[in-house]
Amino acid sequence: MARVYATPEQLSAWTGQPAPPGAERLLARASEDVDDALLTAAYCTDAAGMPTDPAIVTALADATCAQVEYQLATGDDGTGAASRWDSVSIGPVSLSGRKDGPTTATDVDLAPRAHRALRRAGLLPGVIW
């Protein structure tokens, strides 16, 4: 089972708005993004792979909420597709203004606030405690 680092209630507290429809799905996808950003991070976990240090728990929840907030602000549904074009039409096909995003499928478009939360917690690659 995939790890999900934040709840709809935490998302609501983070944004100051009610959690959007499908918040659980958005939080699960954002948690995957956070996991991808933490590929080489080392921290203590329980048997389910969830962090045990309260500071790390908070940092991962904050980063996950920041990622969802970022995706909602950019019109993304968690798939990464929405932020690729300024405008898209289906018939008779019209795409315009391709935006730069991750350069490969394995890159993650991590929200700036999520990046800062992870960096402050010492979880990003290259940080040794």
Side-chain angles (χ1 to χ4, degrees), residues 88-112:
V88 176
S89 301
I90 295 300
V93 182
S94 169
L95 305 170
S96 108
R98 182 160 173 84
K99 297 180 182 179
D100 289 335
T103 56
T104 68
T106 58
D107 288 343
V108 85
D109 184 15
L110 193 64

Side-chain angles (χ1 to χ4, degrees), residues 3 5 32-45 56 60 106 108 110 115 118-119 121-129:
R3 293 179 297 270
Y5 298 118
E32 291 173 0
D33 290 346
V34 168
D35 273 344
D36 287 346
L38 298 178
L39 193 56
T40 61
Y43 53 91
C44 294
T45 62
I56 301 299
L60 294 180
T106 58
V108 85
L110 193 64
H115 184 271
L118 298 174
R119 187 184 69 232
L123 293 171
L124 290 181
V127 177
I128 300 173
W129 288 81

